[in-house]
Amino acid sequence: MKPASRAVHAGRELGARSPLAPDLSPAAVHVFTDLADYDAVARGEKPGHYYGRNSNANREMLERAVAELEGAEAGVATASGMAALHGAILALVPRPTTVIATRELYGGTAALLRQDFEPAGYEVRFVDLTDLDAVSHGLQGAGLVIAETITNPLCGVPDLEAIATMARERGVPFLVDNTFATPLLCRPLDLGVTVVMHSATKYLGGHSDLVAGVIVGDTKTMGVARARSARTGTPLGPFDAWLALRGLRTLDVRMRRHSDNSLALARAMQSMPGVQRVHHPLLETSPSFSVAHRLLPRGAGGMMAFDLEGGRSAVQRMIKRFQLATFAASLGGVETTISYPEITSHRSISQAERTELGVGPGTVRVSVGIEDGADIIADFTHALSE
Ligand SMILES: *Cc1c(COP(=O)(O)O)cnc(C)c1O
């Protein structure tokens, strides 16, 4: 099956009289009449569920669906993207080691590494992963590499294929946060990546109404992550799993529209008054253009950013004038939203660090929604007009 069809059907097998939409199964516990039967289910030798922290029908459907879409053997769904990331790191490197991470890392991930992993003895090195010489150098003595398919907020695209080759040669596992691209636009495991994580809060769910995470990879690593998630109590609840799976069904059509709308808005913004620079992976002016063209042949999703002359007051003026877009500190929903990295995703790092990353007081990140593209362009045109 092609990816669009998989998105509609993955994770379920229907038989005669099956409900076409999955039932919601909120049960915390299942009853058994046979001790040996319970024992076999608890050992994982027979299918079925016994206690909700260990497994649940809705969570299992979502895990299978995301694994199938990413081309992975197995998946583990967690209560948030951060729980997924934490679980993935501990499954890959349970003991302190050196972690190489992309310089433009998602703020929550950077905070997790600095505030939870560093005090536990891990050494974290932030490297510009679009610079392959720096990657090669950084890999010496490293125990794990963490990258994002598309970086936040300036939408750089590291060459995952080249990094995966270098990492594999040195036996270093490679973890990729594929939240911004989704498996409909990029499948990092096909490029040689070890484990993929998602904040399903964003595009997989797609409707800004749930918080969830998923990791996918080989059966052994996922088994380790699943067991720890059960022990530490981070699994995803049934209703959020049900919602995420429901969101997944329309992923292909949403990602196409997000991709078309974001590129159209990025192009239009290049000539809007007060706009100094537009960041989108598939604009010819992007430093990542050729890598993005190769790794994201179906489009780059809905994320883009721009730098506005006049800094914070110009951004404030624009927000007040929007009629369609809203300011909200998340992304990946059907609605067009903007975020202001200086006080949202990048608030925990110093101004000097922000400047080094290219994030200034005029930098605005846009999560372009699936409204009519002309309406979105008209809204930004009006909000930025003199
Ligand atoms: C939102 C996000 C996360 C964290 O996910 P939560 O679901 O908020 O815990 C991690 N990585 C990226 C790229 C994100 O956008």
Side-chain angles (χ1 to χ4, degrees):
M1 269 200 273
K2 298 258 193 315
S5 315
R6 280 176 203 245
V8 174
H9 296 284
R12 296 187 69 212
E13 273 158 39
L14 299 184
R17 295 192 290 278
S18 295
L20 184 54
D23 284 331
L24 175 63
S25 175
V29 65
H30 290 243
V31 294
F32 287 81
T33 53
D34 187 288
L35 296 180
D37 188 39
Y38 175 90
D39 207 33
V41 171
R43 281 169 195 270
E45 287 161 5
K46 274 194 188 172
H49 308 287
Y50 58 107
Y51 185 55
R53 183 156 46 72
N54 296 85
S55 75
N56 164 275
N58 296 105
R59 193 188 310 139
E60 191 175 88
M61 284 178 222
L62 176 66
E63 290 169 342
R64 287 199 181 147
V66 179
E68 190 178 326
L69 285 172
E70 287 282 8
E73 288 172 7
V76 179
T78 54
S80 67
M82 292 317 301
L85 197 80
H86 185 244
I89 295 172
L90 284 180
L92 291 168
V93 285
R95 274 174 285 281
T97 181
T98 299
V99 177
I100 305 299
T102 185
R103 227 169 36 129
E104 281 185 42
L105 207 58
Y106 174 74
T109 308
L112 181 77
L113 290 172
R114 282 188 170 144
Q115 291 170 38
D116 297 279
F117 281 92
E118 277 186 345
Y122 289 76
E123 191 196 323
V124 183
R125 280 193 234 141
F126 294 98
V127 173
D128 176 3
L129 294 186
T130 59
D131 175 352
L132 291 179
D133 290 332
V135 176
S136 175
H137 184 72
L139 273 170
Q140 279 159 26
L144 176 68
V145 187
I146 304 179
E148 293 169 2
T149 320
I150 302 169
T151 64
N152 175 22
L154 301 182
C155 300
V157 179
D159 189 342
L160 298 183
E161 204 169 5
I163 299 169
T165 304
M166 288 195 265
R168 201 170 33 219
E169 276 164 8
R170 310 213 188 160
V172 180
F174 186 13
L175 169 62
V176 167
D177 182 336
N178 199 28
T179 299
F180 279 24
T182 84
L184 268 295
L185 302 180
C186 180
R187 298 214 314 177
L189 297 178
D190 293 347
L191 305 173
V193 165
T194 320
V195 167
V196 166
M197 72 75 58
H198 282 277
S199 167
T201 313
K202 317 294 167 55
Y203 289 111
L204 297 190
H207 295 73
S208 313
D209 56 8
L210 67 98
V211 173
V214 183
I215 56 175
V216 297
D218 63 277
T219 310
K220 187 161 171 251
T221 310
M222 291 305 106
V224 171
R226 176 186 308 284
R228 182 173 283 113
S229 178
R231 285 197 302 276
T232 55
T234 61
L236 181 62
F239 184 50
D240 288 334
W242 188 93
L243 279 175
L245 189 73
R246 176 193 166 116
L248 210 58
R249 299 312 187 203
T250 54
L251 187 60
D252 183 76
V253 282
R254 284 189 286 111
M255 293 316 287
R256 280 169 196 269
R257 180 70 86 95
H258 283 298
S259 300
D260 290 349
N261 282 353
S262 80
L263 191 54
L265 180 63
R267 291 212 170 107
M269 288 207 80
Q270 285 179 308
S271 55
M272 286 187 198
V275 175
Q276 286 171 320
R277 184 137 192 230
V278 181
H279 309 270
H280 185 288
L282 293 176
L283 276 185
E284 291 73 4
T285 50
S286 165
S288 295
F289 177 72
S290 67
V291 176
H293 200 66
R294 176 159 48 87
L295 297 189
L296 303 164
R298 304 179 78 220
M303 301 308 298
M304 56 163 286
F306 60 92
D307 300 320
L308 207 52
E309 253 166 47
R312 189 186 280 229
S313 61
V315 175
Q316 178 63 74
R317 175 180 179 270
M318 175 186 73
I319 291 171
K320 292 242 153 115
R321 298 184 70 171
F322 278 142
Q323 289 169 336
L324 177 150
T326 51
F327 167 58
S330 188
L331 62 109
V334 292
E335 316 85 357
T336 296
T337 59
I338 68 119
S339 159
Y340 185 51
E342 189 166 272
I343 61 162
T344 58
S345 54
H346 291 63
R347 71 175 300 141
S348 62
I349 65 172
S350 69
Q351 195 183 342
E353 282 176 294
R354 280 198 296 268
T355 306
E356 211 194 308
L357 289 175
V359 175
T363 305
V364 174
R365 186 190 75 187
V366 191
S367 173
V368 184
I370 63 166
E371 301 95 338
D372 190 289
D375 286 338
I376 301 172
I377 293 172
D379 197 38
F380 279 80
T381 306
H382 169 258
L384 293 176
S385 60
E386 305 294 328

